[in-house]
Amino acid sequence: MLAKKTPLLQSFRSLVFRHASHLSRQQYDVIVVGGGHAGTEAAAAAARVGAETLLVTQKKNTIGALSCNPSLGGIGKGQLVKEVDALDGLCGRAGDWAGIHFSILNRSKGPAVWGPRAQLDRQRYREFIQSELLSTPRLTVLEGSVEELLVTEPNPEEPGQHRVKGICLANGNHPISASSVVLTTGTFLSGSLFVGQTTSPGGRIGDAPSSPGLSQTLRERLGLRTGRLRTGTPPRIVKDSVDLSEAQLHPPDSHPTPFSFLNTHTHCKPEEQLPCYLTFTTPGVERVVRESLHLNCHIQQDAKGPRYCPSIESRVLRFPGRRHQVWLEPEGMASDLLYPQGLSMTMPPDVQLRLIREIPAMHRAEIHTPGYGVQYDFVCPTQLSPALQVKSTQGLFLAGQINGTTGYEEAAAQGLWAGVNAARWALSMPLVALSRTESYIGVLIDDLVSRGITEPYRMFTSRAEYRTSLRPDNADLRLTLKGFEEVGCVSSLRYQKAVRVRDKLQEALAALEAIALSSAKWRKKLPGIHMSENKNKILTGMELLEYNDASFEMLASVFPDCLSPYIEFAQRLNIEAVYKSHCDLQKKEIERVQKEENMCLSPDLDYFSLPISLSEEVREILDRVRPSTLGAASRLQGITPAAVINLLHYVKYTGQKERGIHRNQPNQKEQGEEQRCV
C-alpha cells in the first residue's frame, strides 16, 4: 500500500491566490513564517494538534522546494525522517512518492546505524507537499513577506520578558494576530547570495531575502544573540553533455525500502529507478581552485560553513593533493539535469565551467545554472527551551536553519516539534519535550539548546548515545503511541496501525521465547546454523536469532504453526533479536538519565546566589544557558561532575522541602470543602 492522494496542484494555486487577496480572518492560533521543510512540517503539525494555523510564504510555488540536493535521508538523517513520519509528519510519505533511487547506506554495519536514503524527483516532491497542505484541515496558506513581529508585554504568570501576538506583512496590510508564531526562515534571514565577486540580497537564487525588519526585531526588540553562517550549492549540469561511461555506475537497491510506516512499497517501481554515478576530482580541479581564489569573495568570508558538506574550494584548501568524490545524481524522472554532489562552489560562472571540465566524465559538460553561496543570520539556539520556544519571548518558536542546523531532515524534525508546541501553547496546553533517550529528534534539540553551535549542525548516528535503541525500524513504537496519547499530533489511523504492530511483535517475541530446545536439537533441525558442538545448553528461539546465520524465516519454516502468522514482521524480529541483550543492559542507564531529565530547574533560578558550591565560571554558564533540567545542565560544556552533584543535592533538597510544605497545607479542594462546611 502507498498512502497518497492525487496531487491537487492547480487547486492549491488558486486557493493561495484567494487567500493572498483577502483572508477570511485576521486572528489565528498559530502563524508559521516560511514554506520550506521546517515550515511545512510546523504548519501541518500545528493543524493536526487542533490549532487554526496560517502559513505565510513569499512564493506559493516554492512551498516544499528542494533548494539544494534532491535527496532525503542518509546516515543519521534517515533516522530523523523515520521519526518525523512516526509522528505523522509529511516528509517520509513525500519521499516515498517522489523517490527515484532508494538505497540503505551503511548496510555493512549493524541495522541500528543503517541510513535509509532516496534520490528524489524535485517536481513530484514539491507537488506532494503542496497537495498535503491543501488537504489539511484548519490550515490556511498566504503568499506574502513578514515585515516584523508584533510584540507586547508578557503574561506575568509565565517566564519571559516579552510576548508575541502576531505579525505585520511587508505590504502594509492589517496586522494578523496569533497566540504563537513559528519562524522557519531558512537561509532567507538577511540572506546574501555570492557568485564570484558579485553579491546580491537573497536566500535562494531567484528569491528575495526576508524583510530586514524581521532580523531587526529579533536583535533589537527581543535582544536575541544572532550570528552569521554560510552554505552553498553546486552548478546544475546538462545531463546529455556528460560522458557517463567515464563514471562508476551505482544502481539503487533492487527492493526499495519506504520511509513511511504507512507504506509497504514506493511509488517508483523497482525496475523504474534511476542510477547514480561516481567520479572523482583531478589535480586540474585543485589548480583551478587555487588560481581563482582572488575572484571568490564567499570563500574569504569569516562566516562558518558546513563542515560535513563543504564547498570544493574548502575541500581543496583543507585537504590538498587528495582526490575527492563527486556523485552525479538525477534531478527527476523527466529532468535533463544532473546534480554534482561534492562540487558546491561560488567562483565566477566561467571559472566553474573550467573546473568541472577538469573531471574526465564532464570534459565537455555544460552548466545549466551556476553554483552559488549563501550567507544568512541565525539565532544562537541556547536561547531556546527544549520545546523550541524562545526563553525570553512567550509564544515565539524557531525551527530549521534559523537555529544553526543544515539539512532538510534536521529542519523537518525541528519544524514538526516547534509546530506541535506552538499549537499546544496557543491552546493553553502544557509544552512537551523529547528526551535524547527516546529519539534522534530529542538528541538534535538537546544538542542545540544545551550546547549551541559553532558551525552548521548536521545529525550523525554517533551523536546518539543510545543508538542501538533508537533504530530506524522501531521509530513507530517509540514515538507514534506517544504522539497520539500524549502529544496529539498523530491520527487515529496511524495510531491503530502502530498498536497492531506493537501487539503482534509482542506476541511474536513471546512465541519465540516459548520455543526452547537444546543445542543438539537445534543443530538437527537447522543444520545450516553454525553452533559449537561442545555446547549443549537450552536455547530459546529468541536466543537462536542472535546467531549471524539464523533468521526468523528459518524458524518459521520449522515451527509454522506458531511463527508463520508473524512472517510480515520477520526483519523487525531479526533486528530485535540482534540488539535485545544490549538494549536490556542499556535500560538501566536510560532510566538513570530519564530520572535526571525529570529533575527540573526553574527558569528564573538565580544561579549567582545559590547557596551551594559552584565556581563563578559554572554559575555564568548556567545563567547564560539556563538549562531546563539537571540532565541538560550535565551536558553543558564547562559544567563539572562536582557541579552536577551539588545541583542534584540542591534539587532533591528543595523538592523534599516543597513536598513537606504541601503535606502540611490543605489543597484547594480541601480548602473549598472546609469553606463550604463553615
Side-chain angles (χ1 to χ4, degrees):
M1 185 187 79
L2 180 67
K4 177 66 183 78
K5 298 177 288 294
T6 303
L8 303 170
L9 192 55
Q10 190 59 45
S11 299
F12 178 84
R13 287 171 175 162
S14 62
L15 180 73
V16 174
F17 275 126
R18 187 168 69 250
H19 288 156
S21 58
H22 48 282
L23 283 171
S24 59
R25 57 195 297 166
Q26 295 295 321
Q27 169 72 45
Y28 290 86
D29 296 320
V30 177
I31 295 175
V32 178
V33 180
H37 297 271
T40 52
E41 293 289 356
R48 289 199 305 275
V49 172
E52 289 294 336
T53 305
L54 175 68
L55 172 62
V56 183
T57 182
Q58 289 192 12
K59 287 185 178 180
K60 63 190 180 298
N61 59 351
T62 60
I63 289 177
L66 299 161
S67 300
C68 198
N69 190 354
S71 69
L72 189 70
I75 299 171
K77 290 172 172 283
Q79 278 82 342
L80 288 174
V81 176
K82 298 287 283 189
E83 291 184 354
V84 168
D85 178 74
L87 290 166
D88 234 353
L90 308 177
C91 64
R93 288 180 291 119
D96 291 345
W97 179 259
I100 55 177
H101 175 115
F102 290 85
S103 59
I104 301 293
L105 306 185
N106 237 15
R107 201 185 279 273
S108 62
K109 298 184 179 179
V113 294
W114 285 356
R117 185 184 187 275
Q119 201 67 28
L120 306 175
D121 184 303
R122 287 186 187 275
Q123 183 175 346
R124 284 184 183 177
Y125 189 89
R126 187 173 67 249
E127 289 180 353
F128 184 99
I129 295 294
Q130 293 180 6
S131 174
E132 285 293 312
L133 293 181
L134 170 62
S135 61
T136 300
R138 295 180 293 276
L139 177 57
T140 304
V141 180
L142 170 66
E143 189 175 71
S145 180
V146 176
E147 176 66 33
E148 62 177 340
L149 299 174
L150 299 177
V151 181
T152 187
E153 293 300 311
N155 177 354
E157 297 181 359
E158 299 285 348
Q161 290 80 54
H162 314 279
R163 178 167 63 90
V164 71
K165 64 173 185 177
I167 61 170
C168 276
L169 297 177
N171 58 12
N173 281 356
H174 293 294
I176 305 174
S177 300
S179 301
S180 301
V181 174
V182 185
L183 294 183
T184 66
T185 50
T187 60
F188 288 80
L189 193 62
S190 297
S192 299
L193 303 180
F194 293 81
V195 180
Q197 294 180 299
T198 303
T199 305
S200 60
R204 177 173 53 212
I205 196 165
D207 295 321
S210 64
S211 170
L214 193 54
S215 291
Q216 188 176 3
T217 301
L218 295 175
R219 280 195 300 266
E220 299 179 12
R221 178 74 173 86
L222 302 181
L224 297 178
R225 300 189 309 277
T226 63
R228 197 84 171 149
L229 293 173
R230 70 180 182 191
T231 187
T233 191
R236 307 307 192 262
I237 310 298
V238 177
K239 184 176 181 179
D240 290 343
S241 69
V242 178
D243 184 0
L244 295 175
S245 66
E246 293 275 0
Q248 300 174 15
L249 174 70
H250 278 258
D253 289 351
S254 57
H255 299 287
T257 302
F259 287 110
S260 178
F261 290 98
L262 294 182
N263 293 334
T264 57
H265 64 275
T266 62
H267 176 63
C268 183
K269 296 178 181 178
E271 65 275 12
E272 294 175 347
Q273 295 183 91
L274 301 180
C276 294
Y277 296 86
L278 176 64
T279 186
F280 297 88
T281 61
T282 63
V285 169
E286 183 167 343
R287 184 182 67 253
V288 173
V289 168
R290 294 189 179 280
E291 289 175 353
S292 63
L293 287 177
H294 66 289
L295 301 174
N296 193 335
C297 61
H298 185 64
I299 199 69
Q300 299 168 13
Q301 301 290 322
D302 292 332
K304 283 278 189 179
R307 174 192 298 265
Y308 303 106
C309 187
S311 66
I312 187 61
E313 297 99 326
S314 297
R315 295 166 84 184
V316 163
L317 294 175
R318 190 180 301 170
F319 305 108
R322 290 194 187 179
R323 193 173 69 145
H324 301 283
Q325 288 185 344
V326 177
W327 288 93
L328 302 177
E329 300 171 331
E331 294 227 334
M333 276 295 188
S335 175
D336 59 355
L337 300 180
L338 289 175
Y339 180 94
Q341 186 190 135
L343 285 184
S344 173
M345 60 181 77
T346 56
M347 56 193 66
D350 60 319
V351 182
Q352 294 187 28
L353 185 62
R354 278 176 50 206
L355 185 146
I356 65 170
R357 288 185 172 179
E358 291 291 339
I359 298 173
M362 295 190 282
H363 64 286
R364 293 180 180 173
E366 296 292 338
I367 292 178
H368 179 272
T369 308
Y372 60 91
V374 188
Q375 288 190 19
Y376 55 96
D377 285 349
F378 78 100
V379 174
C380 301
T382 53
Q383 299 167 106
L384 307 179
S385 74
L388 294 179
Q389 182 177 217
V390 176
K391 294 176 183 177
S392 65
T393 307
Q394 299 167 3
L396 179 59
F397 298 80
L398 309 182
Q401 285 178 285
I402 192 174
N403 291 339
T405 60
T406 180
Y408 306 145
E409 302 82 2
E410 290 85 350
Q414 293 173 74
L416 184 146
W417 206 243
V420 160
N421 279 302
R424 292 178 68 88
W425 175 272
L427 299 174
S428 301
M429 300 163 68
L431 302 184
V432 287
L434 284 172
S435 166
R436 63 190 300 123
T437 64
E438 63 183 338
S439 68
Y440 273 81
I441 300 176
V443 172
L444 165 66
I445 294 174
D446 183 65
D447 282 350
L448 292 175
V449 304
S450 296
R451 303 172 183 176
I453 62 112
T454 56
E455 61 189 18
Y457 179 102
R458 184 212 191 276
M459 177 53 70
F460 287 104
T461 54
S462 58
R463 296 190 189 273
E465 305 93 318
Y466 308 107
R467 52 189 170 273
T468 55
S469 300
L470 310 181
R471 304 188 304 272
D473 67 281
N474 67 6
D476 55 343
L477 300 184
R478 289 186 282 113
L479 296 176
T480 300
L481 306 183
K482 178 172 184 171
F484 181 85
E485 297 168 354
E486 301 176 29
V487 180
C489 65
V490 169
S491 69
S492 59
L493 173 67
R494 184 183 289 268
Y495 174 71
Q496 290 165 10
K497 181 167 184 176
V499 168
R500 174 185 174 273
V501 170
R502 179 198 63 189
D503 294 346
K504 289 294 183 182
L505 285 174
Q506 289 176 350
E507 292 174 13
L509 292 172
L512 286 167
E513 292 288 358
I515 300 171
L517 300 175
S518 66
S519 300
K521 289 184 178 180
W522 279 121
R523 285 194 295 271
K524 186 175 181 180
K525 286 183 175 292
L526 297 169
I529 298 178
H530 296 88
M531 302 177 65
S532 173
E533 296 189 3
N534 297 325
K535 295 181 179 179
N536 194 27
K537 63 178 182 178
I538 301 297
L539 293 175
T540 66
M542 196 65 178
E543 291 170 329
L544 190 75
L545 285 181
E546 295 181 24
Y547 284 80
N548 290 334
D549 42 6
S551 69
F552 183 82
E553 293 89 341
M554 294 170 62
L555 268 66
S557 67
V558 177
F559 302 98
D561 292 342
C562 57
L563 297 182
S564 59
Y566 311 107
I567 199 69
E568 64 178 296
F569 304 108
Q571 185 182 43
R572 294 184 69 151
L573 290 164
N574 288 330
I575 294 173
E576 194 70 33
V578 168
Y579 291 107
K580 186 178 185 304
S581 57
H582 184 76
C583 289
D584 287 345
L585 291 173
Q586 209 172 63
K587 278 183 181 178
K588 288 186 178 180
E589 174 66 14
I590 290 175
E591 288 170 0
R592 183 191 67 78
V593 172
Q594 288 176 338
K595 196 172 183 180
E596 290 183 353
E597 295 293 351
N598 291 332
M599 293 183 178
C600 295
L601 298 174
S602 174
D604 56 358
L605 201 59
D606 185 355
Y607 289 101
F608 291 105
S609 64
L610 282 186
I612 58 176
S613 177
L614 295 175
S615 70
E616 197 67 21
E617 179 187 7
V618 166
R619 292 178 189 271
E620 288 176 359
I621 294 170
L622 292 170
D623 183 69
R624 183 179 71 252
V625 179
R626 310 204 71 79
S628 58
T629 67
L630 185 67
S634 69
R635 292 187 289 275
L636 293 177
Q637 189 171 3
I639 301 298
T640 63
V644 173
I645 290 173
N646 289 333
L647 270 176
L648 172 64
H649 291 160
Y650 175 79
V651 172
K652 282 186 173 180
Y653 171 75
T654 55
Q656 290 171 353
K657 190 174 181 181
E658 288 177 1
R659 284 194 295 273
I661 293 173
H662 290 314
R663 279 196 297 270
N664 294 325
Q665 292 181 351
N667 60 33
Q668 291 182 352
K669 182 179 179 181
E670 291 169 340
Q671 288 178 335
E673 289 173 349
E674 288 177 357
Q675 290 170 353
R676 285 196 298 272
C677 290
V678 173

